[in-house]
């Protein structure tokens, strides 16, 4: 190797040493400004507590400082045992408020519209079969009996003919009004105290129109005021036992009062009339009491519906 070549090598080595010296000087100068954190931001002493994430990024550059600060803030928030919830967090924890309920009308069960037969008063009524398929609607004296449906007045009894001595079946409802509704069904309101003006056979009435006032006529004279309410089909006056009730009415009253005002007794009434006939015979509470009539002539007596005669006039003579 020539002297010139050796000289060039030494010069290159000297340049490298100078450069390394400059780099190490810059590093030592930077470390002196970071409160003894060591090289590349690493502390010379072991930390007493877990270092914040921000110091791991170093402080050599502005980007490292910002990243460390942000990470340290996040770590500190995570270690906070009782963080303060933000309004957005509180809103997320609360259940959503439900919408107001949607009012759904009851289904339309027929083309007819009905109304409860007592208007403007508190009422109670029987919901089971006691003796006859009718119901007693208890209401205050003078409460309005109204037409449960539009129709035509059929019968009106303005006189209270009932007498306890005879207890005639045709008179037990006292003052009463019947109408034949537009649905073809007959409705009876009995035990009335009075009949409304202008209500007479053949007059057309509207649903809810006042037909009379609740009272205690007929065999209700010893009870509280009430309305005798019955559902049947049209017959002549002689078949009073049909008028007093053939179809149980309480399910329809329940619907008209609190449920579906289009629930109609038409189908049930027509089906029962088809089964029993238009004028079925009386089977319940049919006989009236016989008023005592003094007489010298012996007359046949009824005992349990069996006629007994005086043996002296027995048609077949002695056995």
């Amino acid at each position: 190797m020539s002297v010139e070549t050796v000289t060039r090598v030494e010069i290159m080595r000297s340049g490298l040493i100078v450069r390394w010296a400059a780099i190490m000087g810059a590093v030592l100068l930077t470390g002196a400004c970071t409160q003894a954190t060591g090289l590349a931001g690493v502390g010379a002493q072991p930390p007493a507590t877990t270092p914040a994430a921000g110091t791991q990024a170093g402080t050599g550059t502005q980007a490292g400082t910002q990243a460390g600060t942000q990470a340290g803030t996040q770590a500190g928030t995570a270690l906070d045992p009782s963080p303060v919830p933000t309004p957005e967090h509180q809103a997320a924890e609360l259940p959503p408020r439900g919408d107001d309920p949607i009012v759904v009308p009851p289904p339309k069960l027929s083309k007819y519209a009905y109304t409860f037969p007592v208007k403007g008063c508190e009422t109670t009524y029987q919901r089971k079969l006691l003796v006859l398929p009718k119901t007693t609607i208890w209401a205050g004296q003078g409460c309005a009996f109204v037409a449960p449906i539009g129709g035509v007045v059929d019968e009106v009894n303005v006189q209270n003919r009932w007498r306890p001595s005879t207890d005639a079946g045709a008179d037990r409802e006292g003052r009463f009004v019947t109408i034949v509704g537009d649905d073809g069904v007959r409705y009876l309101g009995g035990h009335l105290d009075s009949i409304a003006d202008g209500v007479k056979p053949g007059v057309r009435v509207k649903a809810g129109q006042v037909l009379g006032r609740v009272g205690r006529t007929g065999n209700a004279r010893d009870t509280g005021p009430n309305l005798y309410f019955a559902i049947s089909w049209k017959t002549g006056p002689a078949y009073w036992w049909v008028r007093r009730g053939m179809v149980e009415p309480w399910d329809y009253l329940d619907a008209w009062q609190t449920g579906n005002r289009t629930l109609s007794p038409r189908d049930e009434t027509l089906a029962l009339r088809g089964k029993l006939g238009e004028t079925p015979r009386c089977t319940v509470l049919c006989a009236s009491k016989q008023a005592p009539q003094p007489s010298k002539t012996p007359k046949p007596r009824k005992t349990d519906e069996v006629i007994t005669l005086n043996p002296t006039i027995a048609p077949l003579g002695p056995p």
Side-chain angles (χ1 to χ4, degrees):
M1 178 180 302
S2 64
V3 176
E4 183 179 356
T5 303
V6 172
T7 303
R8 290 178 180 177
V9 170
E10 291 298 332
I11 294 173
M12 292 175 62
R13 287 179 180 177
S14 299
L16 290 175
I17 291 173
V18 173
R19 291 179 183 176
W20 277 111
I23 293 173
M24 291 303 295
V27 170
L28 292 176
L29 180 62
T30 303
C33 298
T34 57
Q35 297 181 357
T37 58
L39 295 177
V42 179
Q45 298 295 329
T49 59
T50 302
T55 62
Q56 296 177 4
T59 58
T61 62
Q62 182 178 0
T65 302
Q66 293 177 350
T69 303
Q70 182 178 2
T73 303
Q74 294 176 351
T77 303
L79 294 175
D80 190 352
S82 57
V84 178
T86 63
E88 293 77 7
H89 180 74
Q90 291 179 337
E93 292 293 330
L94 296 176
R97 180 180 179 182
D99 296 331
D100 294 334
I102 299 175
V103 179
V104 179
K108 187 175 182 179
L109 302 179
S110 73
K111 65 179 182 179
Y112 306 106
Y114 298 86
T115 188
F116 195 78
V118 176
K119 184 177 182 180
C121 294
E122 293 185 2
T123 61
T124 59
Y125 53 91
Q126 299 164 335
R127 290 179 170 85
K128 61 181 180 179
L129 178 64
L130 297 178
V131 179
L132 297 170
K134 56 87 179 179
T135 193
T136 300
I137 302 178
W138 301 97
Q141 180 81 17
C143 289
F145 162 53
V146 300
I149 187 176
V152 176
V153 177
D154 184 41
E155 298 172 279
V156 177
N157 181 23
V158 296
Q159 297 182 1
N160 183 20
R161 298 187 179 92
W162 183 81
R163 298 291 180 270
S165 58
T166 56
D167 190 28
D171 300 333
R172 288 176 183 141
E173 284 73 62
R175 296 187 182 94
F176 67 83
V177 175
T178 68
I179 70 167
V180 176
D182 294 335
D183 56 358
V185 178
R186 178 169 61 180
Y187 301 91
L188 163 70
H191 299 327
L192 298 178
D193 182 68
S194 61
I195 309 298
D197 293 340
V199 174
K200 56 184 179 180
V203 171
R204 179 158 190 86
V205 295
K206 298 179 181 180
Q209 180 174 335
V210 177
L211 303 178
R213 298 288 173 177
V214 172
R216 299 187 304 167
T217 59
N219 62 356
R221 72 173 191 174
D222 297 325
T223 70
N226 65 86
L227 177 72
Y228 184 112
F229 185 75
I231 298 175
S232 63
W233 53 87
K234 180 175 173 58
T235 59
Y239 300 96
W240 51 267
W241 54 87
V242 177
R243 178 188 67 214
R244 68 183 179 179
M246 299 297 292
V247 174
E248 297 175 350
W250 40 85
D251 288 344
Y252 301 103
L253 292 174
D254 287 345
W256 302 343
Q257 186 177 45
T258 60
N260 195 319
R261 294 183 181 272
T262 62
L263 182 63
S264 175
R266 173 181 170 84
D267 292 343
E268 184 180 1
T269 303
L270 295 181
L272 187 59
R273 186 182 69 176
K275 178 180 178 181
L276 301 179
E278 185 175 341
T279 55
R281 65 185 184 89
C282 183
T283 58
V284 181
L285 296 180
C286 302
S288 301
K289 296 178 181 179
Q290 297 293 330
Q293 296 179 356
S295 175
K296 297 179 180 180
T297 305
K299 291 186 177 181
R301 294 178 295 120
K302 278 189 175 183
T303 304
D304 295 331
E305 300 297 325
V306 177
I307 298 176
T308 61
L309 303 176
N310 190 318
T312 59
I313 58 173
L316 300 180

